[in-house]
């Protein structure tokens, strides 16, 4: 952040009185600009009506990670619930209509100031199509998942947990809810 959103004066990092960490503070109007993590919300859309279970993935048409596969997900908007965000993102990125299930994963990505939430979901039909942020959208059986071409660690973690649960469900288990902290290794110099 460079300029105050209240008065357009340049801001500077400072620890406000009574606080314990640096904030962007405006010397002109005294506004303190707090920055907090963003929520990324998505779904695990599943189709299993005619044959083995398949999961819907989207190939990204935008940076970061252009060309890599992801579950439909995106930043939550103001005035919506997390469930509404999951349904909306699935519609926007995959052109897919879903029946939302329960919350499945909560993944802290503290290094990039994000929390990712994924809901279980059932595809209502096969009339999906790539939205403007996707190059293509298709169904993958477990054996077809492009593990080396997944866009983000939270996508990999959610899919791993999903298929582990499915294995347990064949023995009578049910889907659980999982919370994990994603910690990326620090990049070495020049990497
Ligand atoms: Zn200001």
């Amino acid at each position: 952040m460079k300029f105050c959103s209240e008065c357009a004066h340049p801001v500077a990092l400072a620890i406000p009185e009574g606080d314990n960490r640096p904030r962007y503070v405006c010397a002109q109007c005294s506004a303190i600009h707090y920055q907090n993590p963003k929520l990324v919300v998505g779904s695990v859309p599943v189709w299993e009506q005619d044959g083995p279970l398949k999961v819907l993935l989207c190939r990204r048409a935008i940076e970061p990670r252009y060309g890599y596969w992801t579950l439909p997900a995106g930043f939550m908007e103001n005035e919506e619930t997390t469930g509404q965000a999951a349904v909306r993102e699935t519609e926007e990125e995959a052109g897919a209509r879903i029946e939302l299930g329960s919350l499945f994963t909560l993944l802290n990505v503290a290094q990039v100031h994000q929390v990712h939430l994924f809901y279980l979901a059932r595809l209502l039909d096969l009339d999906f199509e790539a939205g403007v942020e996707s190059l293509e959208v298709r169904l993958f059986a477990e054996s077809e998942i492009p593990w080396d071409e997944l866009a983000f660690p939270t996508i990999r973690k959610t899919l791993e947990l999903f298929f582990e649960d499915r294995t347990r469900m064949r023995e009578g288990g049910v889907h659980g809810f999982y919370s994990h902290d994603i910690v990326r290794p620090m990049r070495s110099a020049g990497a």
Side-chain angles (χ1 to χ4, degrees):
M1 180 169 209
K2 287 179 179 162
F3 300 100
C4 178
S5 56
E6 300 292 321
C7 74
H9 193 271
V11 294
L13 278 175
I15 299 176
E17 193 178 332
D19 204 339
N20 56 11
R21 60 180 72 207
R23 313 286 184 185
Y24 287 107
V25 178
C26 178
Q28 175 88 4
C29 76
S30 303
I32 303 170
H33 301 279
Y34 296 95
Q35 296 188 319
N36 301 98
K38 290 190 186 306
L39 276 177
V40 172
V41 186
S43 72
V44 186
V46 163
W47 180 262
E48 54 179 337
Q49 283 188 21
D50 44 14
L53 173 144
K54 292 185 174 180
V55 175
L56 194 74
L57 298 180
C58 309
R59 199 152 75 85
R60 289 171 64 82
I62 51 171
E63 296 291 352
R65 303 294 278 165
Y66 180 98
Y68 285 80
W69 292 93
T70 185
L71 289 162
F75 289 109
M76 188 178 177
E77 300 284 1
N78 293 340
E79 313 290 332
E80 71 182 356
T81 65
T82 52
Q84 287 167 343
V87 169
R88 176 183 53 74
E89 288 290 345
T90 305
E91 169 74 39
E92 286 178 6
E93 296 191 356
R97 284 145 301 281
I98 53 173
E99 178 186 84
L100 207 62
S102 58
L103 183 59
F104 182 58
T105 53
L106 185 160
L107 302 151
N108 286 291
V109 201
Q111 283 163 302
V112 294
H113 316 154
Q114 294 177 2
V115 178
H116 293 200
L117 302 177
F118 286 91
Y119 281 84
L120 298 171
R122 189 174 66 84
L123 269 178
L124 294 177
D125 57 64
L126 293 177
D127 297 330
F128 50 79
E129 60 176 352
V132 292
E133 294 183 0
S134 304
L135 296 169
E136 61 179 307
V137 176
R138 57 162 281 204
L139 290 167
F140 290 87
E142 182 176 6
S143 62
E144 301 169 330
I145 298 287
W147 294 104
D148 295 332
E149 297 168 48
L150 295 178
F152 304 107
T154 55
I155 304 300
R156 165 179 283 273
K157 191 71 195 173
T158 296
L159 288 172
E160 285 174 354
L161 289 165
F162 179 79
F163 287 113
E164 285 169 19
D165 262 16
R166 297 301 298 197
T167 301
R168 274 195 290 276
M169 286 165 76
R170 285 194 280 273
E171 287 138 26
V174 295
H175 271 302
F177 165 72
Y178 303 93
S179 171
H180 272 273
D181 299 340
I182 304 282
V183 181
R184 291 183 185 174
M186 299 303 284
R187 289 187 181 183
S188 57

